[in-house]
Amino acid sequence: MTSQSMTSSDHTLYDIPVPNDTKIQTEINGTKTVENSVRKKSIPERIPAFGIICALIGVSLFSVASLIVKLLGELHAIEILIIRCAIQFIPYFAITIYKRHSLFGQPGHRLSLGLRCISGTTSLVTLYIAYRMMPLSDATTIYMASPVFTTIFAYLLLKERVTLIQAITGIVNIVGVVIIAKPEFLFGADDNKDDDVKYDKRVIGIILSIVSAISTAYSFINLRKLRTTPVPVVIMWYSLTVVIAGCAILPVLDRWRMPTGSRAWLLLLAIGAAGIGNQLFQTLAFRYESPGPVSVTRSFQIVLAFVWEVSIFHNTVEWTSITGALLITGCVLCTALLKWYNENPEKF
C-alpha cells in the first residue's frame, strides 16, 4: 500500500463527519470492517440515577406490604405471609426453570443458601407478627436498626474491622431503640390507656422487632456469600421456606381462616405483587448502583411508616417515637454514606 493510499484511508477514518445511527465501511489492507458510529443507549443508561429509583420503588413496595398486614386484621399475620410468599414463589421458580439454573444453587454455597432462607424466614415471620402488636412506625424503625447487627456479625464471622464511626452509630442506634421501647424503669408508667388497650402486647412486639432486625442482619451476611448464586434461585428457596415454616407454625398459633370478600382477596393479591416487585426492583437497584447509595434509600421506609400511621390509622405519633426514629434514621444514613464513600470516593 502506498503512502498516498494510506493517507486516503486515514482521511476516510478520521476526517469525514459521521451522521448518527449510520454504518461506515472502510477497507484496510483489503479487509472490510463495519463499525457502528453511535450505540443506542439502553433504558437504564438513559434514565439518571436508575439504580436509586429502583431502590426507592422496592422500599415503597415493601412498605405497602407492611401496610396491608395491618389492614387485613381479620387474618393472622403468618397466613398473610404464606399467601404472599406462595404468590412470590411462582414467577421465580418459573424463571429458574426457564434459565436452567441449578435448583439447589452452586456447590459450596448451599449451606449459606439454607442459612439465608432460615434467617430470612425468621425475619419476616417475627416482623409480620410485630406489626400487629405495636404501631407500624415503631416496629419498622426498630427493624431498620439491622445495620448495627450487620456490623457485629461482619466482625465476628467475616473478621471485618469495626471503625470508630460504626461503634458510635451502633451505640446511638441502641439508644434510639430504647427511646422507642420506653421501658418503665426509665420513662415511668404509660398514662395513655387507649394505647395500652390497643397494643397490650407491645413488649412482645418490641422483642420480635429486635429479633427481626438481628435475623435480617444475619441474612445479609449470608447474601454476601451468595453473590455468584443466581438471584431467582435464592428468592425461590427463600419463598418456599417461608411457606413451609408458616404452614407448620400457623396451626400452633391459630387456625387457617379462608379469606372472605373481594377486599381481602384484592389485598392478598396486592401483597403478593408487592413482594414480587420488591425483590425485582431491589435486585435491579444492586445491579445498576453500588450498595452504599442503595442502603441510603432504606431509611425512606421509616418515613413511609410514619405517613401510614398518621394518614391511614389516624394514630398520634409520640415524641419518643419521633426522637428514636430520627436517631436510628441518622445512623442508617451515616453508615450508608460512609460505605458509599469507601466504595467509590470519586463518585461520592
Side-chain angles (χ1 to χ4, degrees):
M1 182 176 291
T2 64
S3 175
Q4 183 179 358
S5 64
M6 194 69 172
T7 305
S8 174
S9 178
D10 287 348
H11 178 78
T12 303
L13 280 173
Y14 302 112
D15 293 344
I16 298 177
V18 181
N20 289 339
D21 299 325
T22 60
K23 292 182 179 180
I24 305 169
Q25 284 191 345
T26 61
E27 187 170 345
I28 302 176
N29 294 331
T31 304
K32 287 185 178 181
T33 62
V34 180
E35 298 178 1
N36 287 323
S37 60
V38 177
R39 182 179 65 85
K40 289 186 177 181
K41 292 183 178 180
S42 62
I43 293 177
E45 291 174 325
R46 279 185 253 170
I47 300 177
F50 180 78
I52 298 297
I53 294 173
C54 287
L56 285 172
I57 296 174
V59 167
S60 300
L61 289 172
F62 186 90
S63 183
V64 168
S66 305
L67 172 64
I68 294 174
V69 175
K70 295 281 284 188
L71 293 174
L72 280 172
E74 66 271 22
L75 300 178
H76 196 281
I78 293 182
E79 181 177 347
I80 299 172
L81 184 59
I82 293 171
I83 295 173
R84 170 198 160 171
C85 287
I87 297 173
Q88 184 175 288
F89 169 81
I90 296 171
Y92 287 105
F93 175 73
I95 293 172
T96 299
I97 298 299
Y98 177 76
K99 294 288 188 178
R100 296 183 180 179
H101 297 312
S102 173
L103 284 176
F104 299 99
Q106 296 183 351
H109 291 178
R110 288 168 184 169
L111 176 60
S112 296
L113 178 60
L115 292 174
R116 185 270 182 271
C117 292
I118 295 172
S119 57
T121 300
T122 303
S123 173
L124 269 189
V125 169
T126 51
L127 184 63
Y128 271 38
I129 297 176
Y131 284 150
R132 297 290 180 82
M133 297 182 174
M134 61 189 301
L136 178 64
S137 54
D138 289 356
T140 301
T141 303
I142 295 174
Y143 164 74
M144 288 298 296
S146 58
V148 178
F149 301 105
T150 303
T151 300
I152 295 173
F153 284 133
Y155 172 74
L156 296 176
L157 302 178
L158 303 179
K159 308 303 180 184
E160 292 185 3
R161 187 174 61 89
V162 177
T163 64
L164 178 61
I165 294 180
Q166 288 175 326
I168 294 173
T169 54
I171 294 171
V172 175
N173 250 312
I174 294 172
V175 172
V177 172
V178 171
I179 291 175
I180 292 174
K182 293 189 303 183
E184 288 191 12
F185 69 90
L186 288 177
F187 294 87
D190 192 353
D191 296 329
N192 194 333
K193 300 299 181 184
D194 292 336
D195 281 350
D196 286 344
V197 173
K198 190 173 182 180
Y199 298 112
D200 57 341
K201 298 180 179 178
R202 179 186 173 90
V203 174
I204 299 176
I206 292 170
I207 295 172
L208 290 175
S209 298
I210 294 173
V211 171
S212 179
I214 294 173
S215 53
T216 297
Y218 188 66
S219 181
F220 287 162
I221 294 298
N222 284 288
L223 280 173
R224 290 188 188 182
K225 303 176 182 178
L226 295 171
R227 291 175 180 172
T228 57
T229 301
V231 173
V233 175
V234 177
I235 300 175
M236 176 193 72
W237 281 108
Y238 166 53
S239 303
L240 183 60
T241 304
V242 172
V243 172
I244 294 172
C247 289
I249 295 172
L250 185 61
V252 178
L253 301 178
D254 199 3
R255 63 182 177 84
W256 182 275
R257 299 175 185 176
M258 195 66 182
T260 57
S262 57
R263 173 184 175 274
W265 283 109
L266 286 174
L267 287 175
L268 288 172
L269 289 174
I271 198 172
I276 295 171
N278 171 54
Q279 297 290 342
L280 172 63
F281 283 105
Q282 287 297 312
T283 301
L284 288 173
F286 282 107
R287 177 173 295 177
Y288 291 102
E289 188 57 78
S290 57
V294 171
S295 299
V296 174
T297 63
R298 294 186 71 230
S299 59
F300 184 58
Q301 190 172 323
I302 298 177
V303 177
L304 287 175
F306 277 96
V307 171
W308 306 142
E309 199 71 53
V310 174
S311 62
I312 304 295
F313 302 108
H314 307 291
N315 292 333
T316 302
V317 181
E318 299 181 6
W319 71 268
T320 50
S321 296
I322 295 176
T323 303
L326 289 174
L327 288 174
I328 293 175
T329 304
C331 290
V332 172
L333 287 172
C334 182
T335 303
L337 290 171
L338 179 63
K339 186 175 183 181
W340 184 1
Y341 175 76
N342 291 331
E343 288 169 353
N344 197 334
E346 292 104 11
K347 189 174 181 181
F348 179 86

